[in-house]
Amino acid sequence: MANALVTGGRVSLGLAGALLALAVQAGGSPFVTPGSQAAKERSCVEATDFMRRNHMEVIKHQRDATVHGGIRSTKHSLAGCIDCHVARDAQGQVLPVNDEQQFCGACHDFAAVRLNCFDCHATVPAPAPGKAAGSAGQALGGASPGSSLPPGHPQPAAR
Amino acid sequence: MKNPSDMKNSSAVIDEGRRGFMRTAAGVATVTLAPGVLLHTLAHAGSPGQGGGVPRAEPVTDAVRYGMLIDTTRCAEGCTACVSACNRENGLDLQEMPTGADPALWDRQESRWIRKVKVQDNLTGHVSNLPLMCQHCEHPPCVDVCPTGASFKRADGIVMVDRHLCIGCRYCMMACPYKARSFIHANVEEKLTLAPRGKGCVESCNLCVHRRDHGQPSTACADACAAEGHHAILFGDLKDPASPLSQALAKLPSRQLRENLALNTGVRYSGV
Ligand code: SF4
Ligand code: SF4
């Protein structure tokens, strides 16, 4: 038992080391995409080392609370991850967070994690209410005209 | 359904941690836990993409049951304002026909949360126009048949699909007597933050659940219909006797579509 624990500890240390190495390689900042809101923060919504290992559990817990209980106020939210972790290119265009060099994409790509959050979930933050049409302040999350469309993405129909 | 509170160890840890945090109405709060450990909280109230309004903090309860009354005598022939508003609200209009697809097939398969339907009484010749969407049945056949628990009824009466669980088997589409559900056949490149949707899942009207969870008063379709001056759609709480919906239901004769199925629908129609 004690042996198993020690081994487990070594494994996660090894993983964290690998992630750290990757992040240093990919950009100047050790953990986050340069220029993102996250780069200005001292830590994520939970301690960084906790998030590095458990972000998937955090999001999974939250998804049930949100879909079934309608709870949308907590700091654990995928939309929150995206708001904070997206970077912009030189033209100020938001880069989809799952792109290979971006926050979600870079690490999942490196670790060979295949996940499908972004089959359904928007990859860029929704623009501020009022920028998009719609009485509820509904906002585009996938892409939006003139603001956050990454190059190469098709323009959505005029809204 | 797995209760979200029955989470295993790792999540219990999360809950513990959550109690330690002060919630703020807006902006960024920084909490010092231990020397050198700083956590920040981006509060979501009024933040971009959250739809405005105050986000819900407590789980929904059955103290309310959401529903609608549709006055078909006010619903105008040829008007599709509710349909377009729904498509815009939920990002359905962001999906385009895949290149090379058969237009007739696309027309049949494209997601539709509201259909504009015209019904005629063949004996009298009387014609009614009505928007038809998920009826938010109290006893929903779609939920009965779903093998995964993806189709579910929220405590507040909203019937919806948990897309994390849906395997796309489409039993629910077959079971629904109102043709209320659509299957997403192609990749969805563009989607809204508030209305995640993607290939391989079934979807249907969720009574603008993101608006419900931000304390907003109405649905996109009801707003659009009112903006056109028709006021054919009234949204509200069926359990609150003082709600405009309950009062209108008490006054106007209304019925359930396919009432013989005894589903106790949350959407009622008058003038049919
Ligand atoms: S109308 Fe159809 S989709 Fe909606 S709750 Fe009833 S059976 Fe389910
Ligand atoms: S398509 Fe999805 S929601 Fe419908 S019955 Fe199958 S698993 Fe359930």
Side-chain angles (χ1 to χ4, degrees):
Chain A
M1 187 63 204
N3 259 346
L5 281 178
V6 171
T7 318
R10 276 204 204 110
V11 168
S12 38
L13 274 181
L15 179 61
L19 296 183
L20 180 69
L22 168 77
V24 171
Q25 235 175 13
S29 159
F31 308 125
V32 291
T33 322
S36 62
Q37 171 69 30
K40 300 181 197 122
E41 306 289 344
R42 289 283 301 280
S43 146
C44 195
V45 291
E46 303 291 352
T48 302
D49 58 346
F50 176 84
M51 286 307 282
R52 203 171 285 145
R53 296 183 184 90
N54 296 294
H55 61 282
M56 64 298 271
E57 291 296 335
V58 174
I59 297 170
K60 201 167 147 197
H61 176 73
Q62 183 61 41
R63 90 181 190 193
D64 292 337
T66 300
V67 175
H68 294 260
I71 296 172
R72 308 216 186 206
S73 59
T74 55
K75 62 190 171 144
H76 297 151
S77 111
L78 181 59
C81 303
I82 292 159
D83 283 352
C84 202
H85 282 285
V86 284
R88 290 169 186 275
D89 65 12
Q91 285 75 46
Q93 303 273 336
V94 175
L95 301 166
V97 77
N98 62 335
D99 274 5
E100 251 176 47
Q101 292 305 314
Q102 297 307 308
F103 184 72
C104 297
C107 216
H108 291 148
D109 191 47
F110 177 78
V113 178
R114 264 197 73 190
L115 81 183
N116 53 9
C117 303
F118 301 111
D119 287 0
C120 289
H121 285 281
T123 57
V124 297
K131 274 195 191 166
S135 50
Q138 176 60 285
L140 269 170
S144 92
S147 62
S148 54
L149 265 179
H153 271 233
Q155 287 281 348
R159 297 160 54 88
Chain B
M1 256 328 291
K2 190 179 63 174
N3 185 333
S5 62
D6 302 341
M7 295 283 294
K8 316 179 297 280
N9 307 339
S10 57
S11 305
V13 172
I14 296 159
D15 281 337
E16 285 300 315
R18 186 182 292 162
R19 278 185 212 120
F21 290 99
M22 302 287 293
R23 302 227 48 81
T24 50
V28 180
T30 308
V31 184
T32 310
L33 284 188
V37 182
L38 286 168
L39 304 180
H40 79 276
T41 301
L42 283 170
H44 281 175
S47 74
Q50 304 304 309
V54 180
R56 167 175 279 283
E58 295 296 322
V60 286
T61 69
D62 61 1
V64 299
R65 184 185 174 199
Y66 291 119
M68 297 204 282
L69 172 62
I70 291 162
D71 185 347
T72 61
T73 61
R74 290 167 176 260
C75 178
E77 176 151 13
C79 173
T80 53
C82 55
V83 179
S84 326
C86 176
N87 292 347
R88 199 164 52 243
E89 181 81 9
N90 297 293
L92 308 188
D93 61 346
L94 296 176
Q95 198 178 6
E96 276 159 17
M97 185 173 84
T99 36
D102 172 1
L105 196 66
W106 173 248
D107 188 55
R108 289 200 300 279
Q109 294 186 336
E110 193 184 1
S111 271
R112 290 196 177 89
W113 292 13
I114 307 180
R115 288 170 205 274
K116 192 66 194 298
V117 172
K118 188 195 256 186
V119 285
Q120 182 173 358
D121 183 327
N122 284 338
L123 187 67
T124 63
H126 181 262
V127 170
S128 307
N129 285 285
L130 53 94
L132 185 68
M133 67 289 283
C134 171
Q135 305 287 295
H136 298 280
C137 309
E138 187 193 359
H139 309 294
C142 56
V143 174
D144 288 347
V145 301
C146 178
T148 65
S151 276
F152 73 104
K153 187 171 62 151
R154 249 176 45 148
D156 57 7
I158 298 177
V159 177
M160 49 192 260
V161 177
D162 182 345
R163 297 170 201 249
H164 304 108
L165 304 178
C166 176
I167 55 170
C169 69
R170 291 165 261 181
Y171 277 132
C172 56
M173 290 178 71
M174 291 290 115
C176 173
Y178 304 98
K179 202 179 176 178
R181 295 202 154 183
S182 302
F183 178 74
I184 306 178
H185 286 263
N187 285 333
V188 180
E189 298 298 339
E190 288 163 28
K191 42 256 173 180
L192 301 175
T193 298
L194 287 174
R197 56 190 298 269
K199 180 180 177 179
C201 291
V202 162
E203 58 181 3
S204 55
C205 159
N206 54 27
L207 290 176
C208 291
V209 70
H210 51 280
R211 292 192 182 209
R212 307 286 72 74
D213 294 344
H214 288 89
Q216 293 168 356
S218 187
T219 60
C221 55
D223 285 354
C225 185
E228 290 291 311
H230 301 312
H231 298 275
I233 306 177
L234 185 57
F235 169 83
D237 178 6
L238 294 163
K239 284 192 174 166
D240 174 8
S243 73
L245 174 64
S246 299
Q247 298 196 338
L249 280 165
K251 238 179 269 149
L252 271 181
S254 69
R255 51 172 293 199
Q256 308 173 50
L257 300 182
R258 301 288 314 267
E259 58 220 341
N260 56 323
L261 297 173
L263 302 175
N264 191 13
T265 57
V267 180
R268 302 296 172 108
Y269 291 82
S270 72
V272 281

